PDB file of all heavy atoms in Angstrom:
ATOM      1  N   TRP M 148      -7.571 -10.217  -0.029  1.00  0.00           N
ATOM      2  CA  TRP M 148      -7.314  -8.822  -0.387  1.00  0.00           C
ATOM      3  C   TRP M 148      -8.439  -8.283  -1.268  1.00  0.00           C
ATOM      4  O   TRP M 148      -8.967  -7.210  -1.027  1.00  0.00           O
ATOM      5  CB  TRP M 148      -5.959  -8.685  -1.075  1.00  0.00           C
ATOM      6  CG  TRP M 148      -5.730  -7.327  -1.648  1.00  0.00           C
ATOM      7  CD1 TRP M 148      -5.716  -6.976  -2.973  1.00  0.00           C
ATOM      8  CD2 TRP M 148      -5.529  -6.104  -0.925  1.00  0.00           C
ATOM      9  NE1 TRP M 148      -5.505  -5.628  -3.109  1.00  0.00           N
ATOM     10  CE2 TRP M 148      -5.394  -5.074  -1.866  1.00  0.00           C
ATOM     11  CE3 TRP M 148      -5.462  -5.792   0.431  1.00  0.00           C
ATOM     12  CZ2 TRP M 148      -5.181  -3.746  -1.508  1.00  0.00           C
ATOM     13  CZ3 TRP M 148      -5.252  -4.465   0.793  1.00  0.00           C
ATOM     14  CH2 TRP M 148      -5.115  -3.461  -0.167  1.00  0.00           C
ATOM     15  N   GLN M 149      -8.806  -9.036  -2.299  1.00  0.00           N
ATOM     16  CA  GLN M 149      -9.871  -8.592  -3.188  1.00  0.00           C
ATOM     17  C   GLN M 149     -11.206  -8.536  -2.460  1.00  0.00           C
ATOM     18  O   GLN M 149     -12.040  -7.679  -2.735  1.00  0.00           O
ATOM     19  CB  GLN M 149      -9.958  -9.498  -4.413  1.00  0.00           C
ATOM     20  CG  GLN M 149      -8.764  -9.332  -5.327  1.00  0.00           C
ATOM     21  CD  GLN M 149      -8.723 -10.349  -6.458  1.00  0.00           C
ATOM     22  OE1 GLN M 149      -9.484 -11.313  -6.455  1.00  0.00           O
ATOM     23  NE2 GLN M 149      -7.833 -10.137  -7.402  1.00  0.00           N
ATOM     24  N   GLY M 150     -11.400  -9.427  -1.478  1.00  0.00           N
ATOM     25  CA  GLY M 150     -12.630  -9.435  -0.698  1.00  0.00           C
ATOM     26  C   GLY M 150     -12.796  -8.205   0.185  1.00  0.00           C
ATOM     27  O   GLY M 150     -13.912  -7.845   0.551  1.00  0.00           O
ATOM     28  N   LEU M 151     -11.693  -7.540   0.515  1.00  0.00           N
ATOM     29  CA  LEU M 151     -11.782  -6.332   1.342  1.00  0.00           C
ATOM     30  C   LEU M 151     -12.405  -5.175   0.582  1.00  0.00           C
ATOM     31  O   LEU M 151     -13.011  -4.284   1.172  1.00  0.00           O
ATOM     32  CB  LEU M 151     -10.403  -5.921   1.851  1.00  0.00           C
ATOM     33  CG  LEU M 151      -9.764  -6.815   2.884  1.00  0.00           C
ATOM     34  CD1 LEU M 151      -8.427  -6.231   3.321  1.00  0.00           C
ATOM     35  CD2 LEU M 151     -10.667  -7.002   4.086  1.00  0.00           C
ATOM     36  N   GLU M 152     -12.227  -5.154  -0.736  1.00  0.00           N
ATOM     37  CA  GLU M 152     -12.782  -4.103  -1.594  1.00  0.00           C
ATOM     38  C   GLU M 152     -12.410  -2.712  -1.096  1.00  0.00           C
ATOM     39  O   GLU M 152     -13.242  -1.813  -1.020  1.00  0.00           O
ATOM     40  CB  GLU M 152     -14.300  -4.247  -1.700  1.00  0.00           C
ATOM     41  CG  GLU M 152     -14.743  -5.573  -2.262  1.00  0.00           C
ATOM     42  CD  GLU M 152     -16.236  -5.796  -2.187  1.00  0.00           C
ATOM     43  OE1 GLU M 152     -16.958  -4.967  -1.563  1.00  0.00           O
ATOM     44  OE2 GLU M 152     -16.705  -6.793  -2.740  1.00  0.00           O
ATOM     45  N   LEU M 153     -11.158  -2.518  -0.742  1.00  0.00           N
ATOM     46  CA  LEU M 153     -10.702  -1.212  -0.272  1.00  0.00           C
ATOM     47  C   LEU M 153     -10.692  -0.219  -1.429  1.00  0.00           C
ATOM     48  O   LEU M 153     -10.325  -0.549  -2.551  1.00  0.00           O
ATOM     49  CB  LEU M 153      -9.304  -1.322   0.338  1.00  0.00           C
ATOM     50  CG  LEU M 153      -9.181  -2.142   1.606  1.00  0.00           C
ATOM     51  CD1 LEU M 153      -7.735  -2.164   2.088  1.00  0.00           C
ATOM     52  CD2 LEU M 153     -10.074  -1.598   2.696  1.00  0.00           C
ATOM     53  N   ARG M 154     -11.098   0.987  -1.122  1.00  0.00           N
ATOM     54  CA  ARG M 154     -11.090   2.051  -2.136  1.00  0.00           C
ATOM     55  C   ARG M 154      -9.690   2.662  -2.181  1.00  0.00           C
ATOM     56  O   ARG M 154      -9.204   3.205  -1.195  1.00  0.00           O
ATOM     57  CB  ARG M 154     -12.124   3.120  -1.778  1.00  0.00           C
ATOM     58  CG  ARG M 154     -13.555   2.646  -1.929  1.00  0.00           C
ATOM     59  CD  ARG M 154     -14.539   3.778  -1.699  1.00  0.00           C
ATOM     60  NE  ARG M 154     -14.483   4.326  -0.351  1.00  0.00           N
ATOM     61  CZ  ARG M 154     -15.198   3.889   0.674  1.00  0.00           C
ATOM     62  NH1 ARG M 154     -16.008   2.877   0.517  1.00  0.00           N
ATOM     63  NH2 ARG M 154     -15.102   4.462   1.854  1.00  0.00           N
ATOM     64  N   LEU M 155      -9.079   2.561  -3.326  1.00  0.00           N
ATOM     65  CA  LEU M 155      -7.745   3.106  -3.506  1.00  0.00           C
ATOM     66  C   LEU M 155      -7.795   4.248  -4.496  1.00  0.00           C
ATOM     67  O   LEU M 155      -8.646   4.292  -5.379  1.00  0.00           O
ATOM     68  CB  LEU M 155      -6.783   2.012  -4.010  1.00  0.00           C
ATOM     69  CG  LEU M 155      -6.635   0.798  -3.108  1.00  0.00           C
ATOM     70  CD1 LEU M 155      -5.781  -0.261  -3.781  1.00  0.00           C
ATOM     71  CD2 LEU M 155      -6.022   1.195  -1.778  1.00  0.00           C
ATOM     72  N   ARG M 156      -6.870   5.169  -4.343  1.00  0.00           N
ATOM     73  CA  ARG M 156      -6.756   6.302  -5.259  1.00  0.00           C
ATOM     74  C   ARG M 156      -5.525   6.121  -6.133  1.00  0.00           C
ATOM     75  O   ARG M 156      -4.614   5.357  -5.802  1.00  0.00           O
ATOM     76  CB  ARG M 156      -6.632   7.601  -4.477  1.00  0.00           C
ATOM     77  CG  ARG M 156      -7.847   7.916  -3.653  1.00  0.00           C
ATOM     78  CD  ARG M 156      -7.673   9.232  -2.936  1.00  0.00           C
ATOM     79  NE  ARG M 156      -8.833   9.485  -2.103  1.00  0.00           N
ATOM     80  CZ  ARG M 156      -8.821  10.213  -1.026  1.00  0.00           C
ATOM     81  NH1 ARG M 156      -7.701  10.777  -0.619  1.00  0.00           N
ATOM     82  NH2 ARG M 156      -9.905  10.409  -0.330  1.00  0.00           N
ATOM     83  N   GLU M 157      -5.485   6.856  -7.202  1.00  0.00           N
ATOM     84  CA  GLU M 157      -4.309   6.826  -8.055  1.00  0.00           C
ATOM     85  C   GLU M 157      -3.113   7.315  -7.239  1.00  0.00           C
ATOM     86  O   GLU M 157      -3.199   8.301  -6.521  1.00  0.00           O
ATOM     87  CB  GLU M 157      -4.515   7.734  -9.263  1.00  0.00           C
ATOM     88  CG  GLU M 157      -3.419   7.618 -10.280  1.00  0.00           C
ATOM     89  CD  GLU M 157      -3.703   8.433 -11.523  1.00  0.00           C
ATOM     90  OE1 GLU M 157      -4.885   8.696 -11.808  1.00  0.00           O
ATOM     91  OE2 GLU M 157      -2.736   8.816 -12.192  1.00  0.00           O
ATOM     92  N   GLY M 158      -2.030   6.633  -7.337  1.00  0.00           N
ATOM     93  CA  GLY M 158      -0.834   6.989  -6.581  1.00  0.00           C
ATOM     94  C   GLY M 158      -0.664   6.194  -5.303  1.00  0.00           C
ATOM     95  O   GLY M 158       0.424   6.180  -4.723  1.00  0.00           O
ATOM     96  N   ASP M 159      -1.727   5.529  -4.834  1.00  0.00           N
ATOM     97  CA  ASP M 159      -1.595   4.679  -3.653  1.00  0.00           C
ATOM     98  C   ASP M 159      -0.730   3.475  -4.013  1.00  0.00           C
ATOM     99  O   ASP M 159      -0.764   2.979  -5.143  1.00  0.00           O
ATOM    100  CB  ASP M 159      -2.966   4.198  -3.166  1.00  0.00           C
ATOM    101  CG  ASP M 159      -3.780   5.309  -2.527  1.00  0.00           C
ATOM    102  OD1 ASP M 159      -3.213   6.399  -2.267  1.00  0.00           O
ATOM    103  OD2 ASP M 159      -4.985   5.094  -2.285  1.00  0.00           O
ATOM    104  N   ILE M 160       0.031   3.013  -3.048  1.00  0.00           N
ATOM    105  CA  ILE M 160       0.942   1.892  -3.269  1.00  0.00           C
ATOM    106  C   ILE M 160       0.496   0.726  -2.398  1.00  0.00           C
ATOM    107  O   ILE M 160       0.273   0.891  -1.191  1.00  0.00           O
ATOM    108  CB  ILE M 160       2.389   2.294  -2.919  1.00  0.00           C
ATOM    109  CG1 ILE M 160       2.849   3.416  -3.838  1.00  0.00           C
ATOM    110  CG2 ILE M 160       3.321   1.096  -2.992  1.00  0.00           C
ATOM    111  CD1 ILE M 160       4.166   4.029  -3.443  1.00  0.00           C
ATOM    112  N   VAL M 161       0.365  -0.433  -3.026  1.00  0.00           N
ATOM    113  CA  VAL M 161       0.005  -1.651  -2.305  1.00  0.00           C
ATOM    114  C   VAL M 161       1.179  -2.613  -2.414  1.00  0.00           C
ATOM    115  O   VAL M 161       1.645  -2.917  -3.505  1.00  0.00           O
ATOM    116  CB  VAL M 161      -1.270  -2.297  -2.884  1.00  0.00           C
ATOM    117  CG1 VAL M 161      -1.584  -3.600  -2.159  1.00  0.00           C
ATOM    118  CG2 VAL M 161      -2.449  -1.338  -2.793  1.00  0.00           C
ATOM    119  N   VAL M 162       1.659  -3.057  -1.261  1.00  0.00           N
ATOM    120  CA  VAL M 162       2.784  -3.990  -1.213  1.00  0.00           C
ATOM    121  C   VAL M 162       2.280  -5.301  -0.627  1.00  0.00           C
ATOM    122  O   VAL M 162       1.705  -5.314   0.461  1.00  0.00           O
ATOM    123  CB  VAL M 162       3.939  -3.435  -0.351  1.00  0.00           C
ATOM    124  CG1 VAL M 162       5.084  -4.428  -0.285  1.00  0.00           C
ATOM    125  CG2 VAL M 162       4.414  -2.096  -0.888  1.00  0.00           C
ATOM    126  N   SER M 163       2.480  -6.372  -1.372  1.00  0.00           N
ATOM    127  CA  SER M 163       2.085  -7.700  -0.908  1.00  0.00           C
ATOM    128  C   SER M 163       3.235  -8.657  -1.143  1.00  0.00           C
ATOM    129  O   SER M 163       4.291  -8.260  -1.643  1.00  0.00           O
ATOM    130  CB  SER M 163       0.835  -8.167  -1.655  1.00  0.00           C
ATOM    131  OG  SER M 163       1.144  -8.396  -3.011  1.00  0.00           O
ATOM    132  N   GLN M 164       2.999  -9.904  -0.818  1.00  0.00           N
ATOM    133  CA  GLN M 164       4.041 -10.897  -1.015  1.00  0.00           C
ATOM    134  C   GLN M 164       4.346 -11.097  -2.501  1.00  0.00           C
ATOM    135  O   GLN M 164       5.427 -11.546  -2.853  1.00  0.00           O
ATOM    136  CB  GLN M 164       3.644 -12.211  -0.353  1.00  0.00           C
ATOM    137  CG  GLN M 164       3.554 -12.061   1.152  1.00  0.00           C
ATOM    138  CD  GLN M 164       3.100 -13.313   1.868  1.00  0.00           C
ATOM    139  OE1 GLN M 164       3.229 -14.412   1.363  1.00  0.00           O
ATOM    140  NE2 GLN M 164       2.552 -13.145   3.061  1.00  0.00           N
ATOM    141  N   ASP M 165       3.400 -10.727  -3.362  1.00  0.00           N
ATOM    142  CA  ASP M 165       3.595 -10.857  -4.812  1.00  0.00           C
ATOM    143  C   ASP M 165       4.455  -9.740  -5.387  1.00  0.00           C
ATOM    144  O   ASP M 165       5.102  -9.917  -6.414  1.00  0.00           O
ATOM    145  CB  ASP M 165       2.246 -10.864  -5.539  1.00  0.00           C
ATOM    146  CG  ASP M 165       1.411 -12.070  -5.153  1.00  0.00           C
ATOM    147  OD1 ASP M 165       1.988 -13.101  -4.763  1.00  0.00           O
ATOM    148  OD2 ASP M 165       0.175 -11.979  -5.234  1.00  0.00           O
ATOM    149  N   ASN M 166       4.421  -8.560  -4.789  1.00  0.00           N
ATOM    150  CA  ASN M 166       5.169  -7.415  -5.324  1.00  0.00           C
ATOM    151  C   ASN M 166       5.969  -6.719  -4.220  1.00  0.00           C
ATOM    152  O   ASN M 166       5.916  -5.514  -4.077  1.00  0.00           O
ATOM    153  CB  ASN M 166       4.224  -6.420  -6.009  1.00  0.00           C
ATOM    154  CG  ASN M 166       3.274  -5.753  -5.032  1.00  0.00           C
ATOM    155  OD1 ASN M 166       3.084  -6.224  -3.931  1.00  0.00           O
ATOM    156  ND2 ASN M 166       2.686  -4.669  -5.444  1.00  0.00           N
ATOM    157  N   ASN M 167       6.706  -7.501  -3.487  1.00  0.00           N
ATOM    158  CA  ASN M 167       7.486  -6.997  -2.358  1.00  0.00           C
ATOM    159  C   ASN M 167       8.478  -5.923  -2.827  1.00  0.00           C
ATOM    160  O   ASN M 167       9.193  -6.122  -3.798  1.00  0.00           O
ATOM    161  CB  ASN M 167       8.234  -8.156  -1.705  1.00  0.00           C
ATOM    162  CG  ASN M 167       8.869  -7.772  -0.396  1.00  0.00           C
ATOM    163  OD1 ASN M 167       8.743  -6.646   0.066  1.00  0.00           O
ATOM    164  ND2 ASN M 167       9.564  -8.710   0.205  1.00  0.00           N
ATOM    165  N   CYS M 168       8.470  -4.766  -2.166  1.00  0.00           N
ATOM    166  CA  CYS M 168       9.406  -3.699  -2.512  1.00  0.00           C
ATOM    167  C   CYS M 168       9.820  -2.948  -1.251  1.00  0.00           C
ATOM    168  O   CYS M 168       9.214  -3.108  -0.203  1.00  0.00           O
ATOM    169  CB  CYS M 168       8.802  -2.745  -3.536  1.00  0.00           C
ATOM    170  SG  CYS M 168       7.462  -1.734  -2.914  1.00  0.00           S
ATOM    171  N   ASP M 169      10.842  -2.133  -1.391  1.00  0.00           N
ATOM    172  CA  ASP M 169      11.341  -1.323  -0.281  1.00  0.00           C
ATOM    173  C   ASP M 169      10.496  -0.048  -0.207  1.00  0.00           C
ATOM    174  O   ASP M 169      10.500   0.756  -1.138  1.00  0.00           O
ATOM    175  CB  ASP M 169      12.813  -0.990  -0.521  1.00  0.00           C
ATOM    176  CG  ASP M 169      13.429  -0.225   0.631  1.00  0.00           C
ATOM    177  OD1 ASP M 169      12.734   0.045   1.623  1.00  0.00           O
ATOM    178  OD2 ASP M 169      14.622   0.103   0.528  1.00  0.00           O
ATOM    179  N   ILE M 170       9.780   0.133   0.894  1.00  0.00           N
ATOM    180  CA  ILE M 170       8.880   1.285   1.001  1.00  0.00           C
ATOM    181  C   ILE M 170       9.568   2.523   1.546  1.00  0.00           C
ATOM    182  O   ILE M 170       8.975   3.601   1.555  1.00  0.00           O
ATOM    183  CB  ILE M 170       7.648   0.958   1.875  1.00  0.00           C
ATOM    184  CG1 ILE M 170       8.061   0.609   3.310  1.00  0.00           C
ATOM    185  CG2 ILE M 170       6.820  -0.137   1.249  1.00  0.00           C
ATOM    186  CD1 ILE M 170       6.910   0.516   4.279  1.00  0.00           C
ATOM    187  N   SER M 171      10.821   2.418   1.978  1.00  0.00           N
ATOM    188  CA  SER M 171      11.470   3.564   2.623  1.00  0.00           C
ATOM    189  C   SER M 171      11.587   4.757   1.671  1.00  0.00           C
ATOM    190  O   SER M 171      11.578   5.898   2.118  1.00  0.00           O
ATOM    191  CB  SER M 171      12.830   3.186   3.187  1.00  0.00           C
ATOM    192  OG  SER M 171      13.665   2.670   2.193  1.00  0.00           O
ATOM    193  N   ASP M 172      11.644   4.523   0.369  1.00  0.00           N
ATOM    194  CA  ASP M 172      11.715   5.627  -0.592  1.00  0.00           C
ATOM    195  C   ASP M 172      10.383   6.361  -0.734  1.00  0.00           C
ATOM    196  O   ASP M 172      10.348   7.503  -1.162  1.00  0.00           O
ATOM    197  CB  ASP M 172      12.143   5.112  -1.968  1.00  0.00           C
ATOM    198  CG  ASP M 172      13.559   4.575  -1.963  1.00  0.00           C
ATOM    199  OD1 ASP M 172      14.354   4.994  -1.090  1.00  0.00           O
ATOM    200  OD2 ASP M 172      13.871   3.732  -2.814  1.00  0.00           O
ATOM    201  N   TYR M 173       9.294   5.696  -0.376  1.00  0.00           N
ATOM    202  CA  TYR M 173       7.968   6.276  -0.564  1.00  0.00           C
ATOM    203  C   TYR M 173       7.412   6.928   0.695  1.00  0.00           C
ATOM    204  O   TYR M 173       6.466   7.692   0.630  1.00  0.00           O
ATOM    205  CB  TYR M 173       6.990   5.206  -1.047  1.00  0.00           C
ATOM    206  CG  TYR M 173       7.435   4.512  -2.300  1.00  0.00           C
ATOM    207  CD1 TYR M 173       7.887   3.209  -2.282  1.00  0.00           C
ATOM    208  CD2 TYR M 173       7.421   5.184  -3.516  1.00  0.00           C
ATOM    209  CE1 TYR M 173       8.308   2.572  -3.437  1.00  0.00           C
ATOM    210  CE2 TYR M 173       7.839   4.556  -4.674  1.00  0.00           C
ATOM    211  CZ  TYR M 173       8.274   3.254  -4.629  1.00  0.00           C
ATOM    212  OH  TYR M 173       8.698   2.636  -5.765  1.00  0.00           O
ATOM    213  N   ILE M 174       7.971   6.601   1.852  1.00  0.00           N
ATOM    214  CA  ILE M 174       7.428   7.105   3.113  1.00  0.00           C
ATOM    215  C   ILE M 174       7.450   8.625   3.164  1.00  0.00           C
ATOM    216  O   ILE M 174       6.565   9.246   3.747  1.00  0.00           O
ATOM    217  CB  ILE M 174       8.177   6.494   4.320  1.00  0.00           C
ATOM    218  CG1 ILE M 174       7.851   5.008   4.422  1.00  0.00           C
ATOM    219  CG2 ILE M 174       7.812   7.186   5.610  1.00  0.00           C
ATOM    220  CD1 ILE M 174       8.571   4.296   5.536  1.00  0.00           C
ATOM    221  N   ASP M 175       8.443   9.246   2.532  1.00  0.00           N
ATOM    222  CA  ASP M 175       8.544  10.709   2.537  1.00  0.00           C
ATOM    223  C   ASP M 175       7.270  11.389   2.062  1.00  0.00           C
ATOM    224  O   ASP M 175       6.938  12.479   2.511  1.00  0.00           O
ATOM    225  CB  ASP M 175       9.690  11.173   1.632  1.00  0.00           C
ATOM    226  CG  ASP M 175      11.049  11.010   2.295  1.00  0.00           C
ATOM    227  OD1 ASP M 175      11.084  10.817   3.516  1.00  0.00           O
ATOM    228  OD2 ASP M 175      12.046  11.097   1.576  1.00  0.00           O
ATOM    229  N   ASN M 176       6.565  10.771   1.138  1.00  0.00           N
ATOM    230  CA  ASN M 176       5.419  11.420   0.502  1.00  0.00           C
ATOM    231  C   ASN M 176       4.076  10.827   0.894  1.00  0.00           C
ATOM    232  O   ASN M 176       3.068  11.180   0.294  1.00  0.00           O
ATOM    233  CB  ASN M 176       5.577  11.346  -1.017  1.00  0.00           C
ATOM    234  CG  ASN M 176       6.821  12.066  -1.474  1.00  0.00           C
ATOM    235  OD1 ASN M 176       7.101  13.171  -1.026  1.00  0.00           O
ATOM    236  ND2 ASN M 176       7.584  11.429  -2.335  1.00  0.00           N
ATOM    237  N   CYS M 177       4.051   9.934   1.863  1.00  0.00           N
ATOM    238  CA  CYS M 177       2.769   9.307   2.181  1.00  0.00           C
ATOM    239  C   CYS M 177       2.060  10.043   3.311  1.00  0.00           C
ATOM    240  O   CYS M 177       2.683  10.679   4.146  1.00  0.00           O
ATOM    241  CB  CYS M 177       2.955   7.828   2.505  1.00  0.00           C
ATOM    242  SG  CYS M 177       3.479   7.442   4.171  1.00  0.00           S
ATOM    243  N   GLY M 178       0.750   9.927   3.299  1.00  0.00           N
ATOM    244  CA  GLY M 178      -0.067  10.475   4.369  1.00  0.00           C
ATOM    245  C   GLY M 178      -0.457   9.396   5.367  1.00  0.00           C
ATOM    246  O   GLY M 178      -0.655   9.662   6.542  1.00  0.00           O
ATOM    247  N   GLN M 179      -0.590   8.160   4.842  1.00  0.00           N
ATOM    248  CA  GLN M 179      -0.930   7.023   5.693  1.00  0.00           C
ATOM    249  C   GLN M 179      -0.052   5.836   5.309  1.00  0.00           C
ATOM    250  O   GLN M 179       0.116   5.535   4.129  1.00  0.00           O
ATOM    251  CB  GLN M 179      -2.390   6.612   5.519  1.00  0.00           C
ATOM    252  CG  GLN M 179      -3.384   7.590   6.074  1.00  0.00           C
ATOM    253  CD  GLN M 179      -4.816   7.102   5.883  1.00  0.00           C
ATOM    254  OE1 GLN M 179      -5.119   6.323   4.997  1.00  0.00           O
ATOM    255  NE2 GLN M 179      -5.700   7.590   6.733  1.00  0.00           N
ATOM    256  N   LEU M 180       0.487   5.192   6.311  1.00  0.00           N
ATOM    257  CA  LEU M 180       1.234   3.955   6.138  1.00  0.00           C
ATOM    258  C   LEU M 180       0.442   2.891   6.874  1.00  0.00           C
ATOM    259  O   LEU M 180       0.296   2.949   8.098  1.00  0.00           O
ATOM    260  CB  LEU M 180       2.648   4.081   6.716  1.00  0.00           C
ATOM    261  CG  LEU M 180       3.521   2.837   6.709  1.00  0.00           C
ATOM    262  CD1 LEU M 180       3.710   2.301   5.290  1.00  0.00           C
ATOM    263  CD2 LEU M 180       4.874   3.131   7.338  1.00  0.00           C
ATOM    264  N   VAL M 181      -0.127   1.950   6.122  1.00  0.00           N
ATOM    265  CA  VAL M 181      -1.056   0.964   6.679  1.00  0.00           C
ATOM    266  C   VAL M 181      -0.429  -0.421   6.607  1.00  0.00           C
ATOM    267  O   VAL M 181       0.027  -0.846   5.543  1.00  0.00           O
ATOM    268  CB  VAL M 181      -2.394   0.971   5.907  1.00  0.00           C
ATOM    269  CG1 VAL M 181      -3.367  -0.031   6.505  1.00  0.00           C
ATOM    270  CG2 VAL M 181      -2.996   2.363   5.879  1.00  0.00           C
ATOM    271  N   PHE M 182      -0.413  -1.112   7.739  1.00  0.00           N
ATOM    272  CA  PHE M 182       0.036  -2.497   7.792  1.00  0.00           C
ATOM    273  C   PHE M 182      -1.155  -3.366   8.160  1.00  0.00           C
ATOM    274  O   PHE M 182      -1.812  -3.122   9.173  1.00  0.00           O
ATOM    275  CB  PHE M 182       1.132  -2.691   8.845  1.00  0.00           C
ATOM    276  CG  PHE M 182       2.422  -2.002   8.500  1.00  0.00           C
ATOM    277  CD1 PHE M 182       2.763  -0.812   9.117  1.00  0.00           C
ATOM    278  CD2 PHE M 182       3.285  -2.536   7.561  1.00  0.00           C
ATOM    279  CE1 PHE M 182       3.949  -0.164   8.804  1.00  0.00           C
ATOM    280  CE2 PHE M 182       4.466  -1.899   7.232  1.00  0.00           C
ATOM    281  CZ  PHE M 182       4.796  -0.714   7.849  1.00  0.00           C
ATOM    282  N   ILE M 183      -1.445  -4.343   7.330  1.00  0.00           N
ATOM    283  CA  ILE M 183      -2.478  -5.336   7.630  1.00  0.00           C
ATOM    284  C   ILE M 183      -1.738  -6.652   7.809  1.00  0.00           C
ATOM    285  O   ILE M 183      -1.197  -7.205   6.857  1.00  0.00           O
ATOM    286  CB  ILE M 183      -3.520  -5.438   6.503  1.00  0.00           C
ATOM    287  CG1 ILE M 183      -4.175  -4.077   6.260  1.00  0.00           C
ATOM    288  CG2 ILE M 183      -4.571  -6.490   6.846  1.00  0.00           C
ATOM    289  CD1 ILE M 183      -5.114  -4.028   5.071  1.00  0.00           C
ATOM    290  N   SER M 184      -1.669  -7.124   9.058  1.00  0.00           N
ATOM    291  CA  SER M 184      -0.814  -8.252   9.385  1.00  0.00           C
ATOM    292  C   SER M 184      -1.527  -9.257  10.274  1.00  0.00           C
ATOM    293  O   SER M 184      -2.230  -8.876  11.208  1.00  0.00           O
ATOM    294  CB  SER M 184       0.440  -7.756  10.110  1.00  0.00           C
ATOM    295  OG  SER M 184       1.235  -8.833  10.548  1.00  0.00           O
TER     296      SER M 184
END
């Protein structure tokens, strides 16, 4: 993940196995929903 060096903005949400959360509450306000699998 750190090797990807993705540019993130304030307010962006990153969900990984370390901080697993329910994203359904956030989908209403997102512009992009990205899955890297």
Side-chain angles (χ1 to χ4, degrees):
W148 171 252
Q149 291 172 349
L151 290 182
E152 301 172 353
L153 294 180
R154 290 186 297 270
L155 301 174
R156 296 182 182 153
E157 188 175 335
D159 288 349
I160 297 171
V161 177
V162 179
S163 68
Q164 295 177 23
D165 296 334
N166 66 343
N167 190 2
C168 69
D169 184 1
I170 62 170
S171 57
D172 294 336
Y173 304 108
I174 291 178
D175 282 345
N176 299 315
C177 82
Q179 290 181 335
L180 175 59
V181 181
F182 292 103
I183 302 174
S184 175

